[in-house]
Amino acid sequence: MPFTNILFPVDFSERSLAIVPQVQALCTRFKASLTLVHFVEVPAMAYGTLESPMVFDYPMAEIKECAKQRLDRFAATEFPGVAVTTVVDEGDPGSCIAELARTWHIDLIMMPTRGRGRFRAALLGSVTAKTLHDATCPVWTEAHSEAAGVEHAEWRSIVCAIDTVPEGSRLIRFAAGLAANSGPKVRLAHVVPIAETIPQKYFDLELASFLEDQARQTIAGMQNEAGTNFDVCVGAGNIPDVVRHAAVAHNADLVLIGRGALPHFAGRLRSHAYAIVRDMPCPVLSV
């Protein structure tokens, strides 16, 4: 903290191009260097079929050279004044992005979600989902990139969704680091699960109230450990729904969530990371 080396996978799609203003803003804010990467995939037809196992002479070198020229033009046009490295490689993006991030010591990956067609609201897209699963560095994602533009580029309000596991104080400290570097208002959000079935949920109200009070006490201790004093909102219900409500209520420009290995860091939030990324009205930064 702050970010110094940002990776932006570029496939030249509309969703990828739409988050360029967001990438520009973070590079400027953190004075970070930028790596643009484009992956060229060999089509299955190049390997022939079981009936005709003849390998097609696929012009990979020429295709990679054309892609490199296009990526260089893209970097010069969209990121003037930014230290940019362009990389064109061969392989499946979903498998290669996280590995490249580790090899190049990337500390932030920025990418849109890639759900397609009518199922876009229900899917993240395999590339984003695989990157969220495999990456060891923070991942910034935007589910509504077509209409994003420069909206949310300036971080004025951050909602940090936490669980009450002991390691959650690390996420609070991370939020404090963001606040120190970019000056936003940070609010912590915690969700107490409650049965959604009727009439079961009515019998859970008293228990939910008790659990909310317990959560506030636990979070107060976590903030004391982290040396912070952020506002806290605690709600009961479905985790993605409650986090989304907090983001909307506080006009969040960014939702911060933990993305660790179950059952440790981030606890229940880890298993809801995909739904949170998919449903938020603003970008999500998962660490």
Side-chain angles (χ1 to χ4, degrees):
M1 192 62 66
F3 303 117
T4 58
N5 196 2
I6 296 174
L7 177 65
F8 177 24
V10 177
D11 62 1
F12 305 108
S13 67
E14 290 184 6
R15 296 176 68 79
S16 180
L17 297 176
I19 70 167
V20 165
Q22 306 274 1
V23 179
Q24 292 170 334
L26 262 66
C27 288
T28 301
R29 179 178 304 133
F30 296 111
K31 297 179 173 59
S33 61
L34 177 64
T35 300
L36 304 181
V37 61
H38 176 77
F39 291 98
V40 177
E41 299 182 72
V42 179
M45 60 172 287
Y47 299 103
T49 65
L50 291 175
E51 295 79 11
S52 179
M54 180 178 64
V55 178
F56 177 67
D57 186 15
Y58 195 70
M60 178 58 70
E62 292 85 349
I63 292 175
K64 289 176 66 174
E65 179 60 29
C66 290
K68 184 65 163 63
Q69 294 175 10
R70 186 180 182 186
L71 193 61
D72 288 342
R73 291 195 300 270
F74 176 81
T77 302
E78 302 294 345
F79 298 99
V82 178
V84 180
T85 300
T86 58
V87 178
V88 173
D89 206 350
E90 176 184 344
D92 170 49
S95 302
C96 297
I97 290 173
E99 181 60 33
L100 187 144
R102 283 189 289 269
T103 302
W104 286 66
H105 305 292
I106 298 295
D107 46 32
L108 177 65
I109 300 171
M110 298 187 69
M111 60 192 305
T113 62
R114 292 297 309 279
R116 298 177 185 273
R118 71 166 73 181
F119 300 107
R120 182 169 288 171
L123 302 175
L124 279 185
S126 59
V127 175
T128 304
K130 187 77 163 59
T131 302
L132 284 169
H133 183 273
D134 293 349
T136 56
C137 66
V139 179
W140 179 104
T141 48
E142 169 61 82
H144 308 284
S145 55
E146 295 99 328
V150 297
E151 186 180 4
H152 306 304
E154 187 68 27
W155 292 350
R156 297 172 295 271
S157 175
I158 295 178
V159 169
C160 177
I162 62 169
D163 208 340
T164 51
V165 293
E167 295 86 351
S169 57
R170 180 168 75 90
L171 187 59
I172 296 176
R173 288 193 294 269
F174 191 94
L178 287 180
N181 280 281
S182 52
K185 172 74 172 178
V186 176
R187 296 174 178 85
L188 304 182
H190 174 73
V191 184
V192 174
I194 184 172
E196 295 297 323
T197 57
I198 298 175
Q200 182 63 40
K201 67 178 181 180
Y202 295 107
F203 294 109
D204 286 348
L205 291 179
E206 185 175 345
L207 175 61
S209 179
F210 170 77
L211 293 176
E212 288 178 18
D213 290 340
Q214 290 292 307
R216 288 189 179 92
Q217 295 178 29
T218 302
I219 293 170
M222 294 165 64
Q223 290 218 71
N224 184 61
E225 178 185 345
T228 61
N229 188 30
F230 299 137
D231 292 344
V232 180
C233 50
V234 178
N238 176 268
I239 289 178
D241 290 344
V242 175
V243 175
R244 176 182 172 81
H245 176 78
V248 171
H250 299 294
N251 296 313
D253 297 300
L254 184 74
V255 169
L256 179 63
I257 65 172
R259 192 190 75 250
L262 283 174
H264 302 294
F265 178 54
R268 292 174 298 105
L269 282 174
R270 171 64 166 83
S271 61
H272 291 83
Y274 295 172
I276 291 173
V277 169
R278 183 192 65 211
D279 294 342
M280 288 308 104
C282 62
V284 175
L285 178 61
S286 55
V287 301

